[in-house]
Amino acid sequence: KAGVTQTPRYLIKTRGQQVTLSCSPISGHRSVSWYQQTPGQGLQFLFEYFSETQRNKGNFPGRFSGRQFSNSRSEMNVSTLELGDSALYLCASSLDGSGLAAYNEQFFGPGTRLTVL
Amino acid sequence: LAKTTQPISMDSYEGQEVNITCSHNNIATNDYITWYQQFPSQGPRFIIQGYKTKVTNEVASLFIPADRKSSTLSLPRVSLSDTAVYYCLVGGQAGTALIFGKGTTLSVSS
């Protein structure tokens, strides 16, 4: 079974621009979560989508948004990019959204490395 | 979600057994304990999960005492490829987000 795929793998943008990242979950998984990872803050939860609805949201500004399509594929968008948005953006999928309940692990993609200049 | 505390870093040599302990004093009755491993520039990978006592799979063992206020991830006979960051997470509600702490950076030397 194919794993979680993320595109693009690398991206370079300048301040003020916007960016859209894409995530394709494992077939059959209905939940997609997004995380930002930076050296200073570590892994931080952005939001989670389940059946096209945002079910959980982390503590990020409104410049960060996402959506999920009927085929469970998800996109996240960052508008008005800032230098501090440079990070590895990780997407994870699971059957029902909890990586902590029994037998329901989250599978992570390889990430998109975003650099903001 | 219960807060977890684990050592920032650990060093080991190839062939040794490594035990990483995580404390989670406020664990709830329906919470599971889950460990993830992350290599540089990759997404985290599920290692093992347990509720109580001992769980073992092909890569690790997880020991959980009766009070469940802590847990220990045991990696038998580590190799250089086990050098990674290990995260302990606690929770169990459906739809609950994974909240990662700083993790434990394990460095294995030859």
Side-chain angles (χ1 to χ4, degrees):
Chain A
K1 180 160 33 170
V4 177
T5 58
Q6 293 186 244
T7 56
R9 292 293 312 279
Y10 301 92
L11 205 49
I12 298 175
K13 292 286 188 180
T14 57
R15 279 180 298 175
Q17 288 187 309
Q18 75 163 17
V19 66
T20 299
L21 311 181
S22 180
C23 172
S24 293
I26 291 173
S27 178
H29 284 189
R30 297 166 64 191
S31 168
V32 174
S33 298
W34 288 90
Y35 298 83
Q36 181 197 65
Q37 186 168 33
T38 60
Q41 298 300 318
L43 262 166
Q44 296 186 87
F45 170 74
L46 279 158
F47 30 65
E48 183 236 350
Y49 286 86
F50 181 79
S51 293
E52 302 178 65
T53 301
Q54 187 180 86
R55 188 162 62 171
N56 281 298
K57 189 176 188 306
N59 189 26
F60 277 80
R63 300 186 296 109
F64 293 81
S65 63
R67 60 177 175 169
Q68 186 180 34
F69 303 95
S70 58
N71 61 359
S72 293
R73 190 177 69 83
S74 177
E75 290 181 346
M76 70 162 281
N77 184 277
V78 187
S79 62
T80 319
L81 284 166
E82 302 176 359
L83 295 179
D85 297 332
S86 294
L88 179 67
Y89 289 88
L90 293 160
C91 161
S93 76
S94 66
L95 284 171
D96 83 349
S98 174
L100 299 170
Y103 313 115
N104 194 17
E105 68 182 270
Q106 286 206 351
F107 295 83
F108 284 80
T112 294
R113 174 74 62 186
L114 172 64
T115 302
V116 181
L117 303 176
Chain B
L1 289 170
K3 179 178 166 58
T4 61
T5 302
Q6 50 183 125
I8 296 295
S9 64
M10 295 183 70
D11 296 313
S12 182
Y13 291 97
E14 284 188 292
Q16 290 188 329
E17 177 185 75
V18 171
N19 296 309
I20 306 174
T21 297
C22 177
S23 66
H24 26 81
N25 292 319
N26 297 322
I27 190 168
T29 302
N30 61 349
D31 284 346
Y32 280 78
I33 300 155
T34 310
W35 286 79
Y36 278 77
Q37 173 193 55
Q38 186 179 26
F39 298 110
S41 297
Q42 294 185 27
R45 182 176 72 103
F46 174 93
I47 301 175
I48 196 167
Q49 182 183 73
Y51 184 79
K52 62 179 179 181
T53 64
K54 177 184 174 182
V55 179
T56 298
N57 61 22
E58 62 276 8
V59 298
S61 294
L62 179 60
F63 298 92
I64 305 169
D67 67 6
R68 304 200 327 122
K69 293 184 184 299
S70 67
S71 59
T72 299
L73 173 72
S74 181
L75 305 172
R77 297 180 299 282
V78 294
S79 64
L80 295 176
S81 63
D82 292 317
T83 294
V85 180
Y86 293 82
Y87 297 95
C88 164
L89 298 98
V90 172
Q93 299 296 323
T96 303
L98 291 182
I99 306 299
F100 287 84
K102 297 296 186 186
T104 297
T105 300
L106 173 64
S107 299
V108 180
S109 304
S110 58

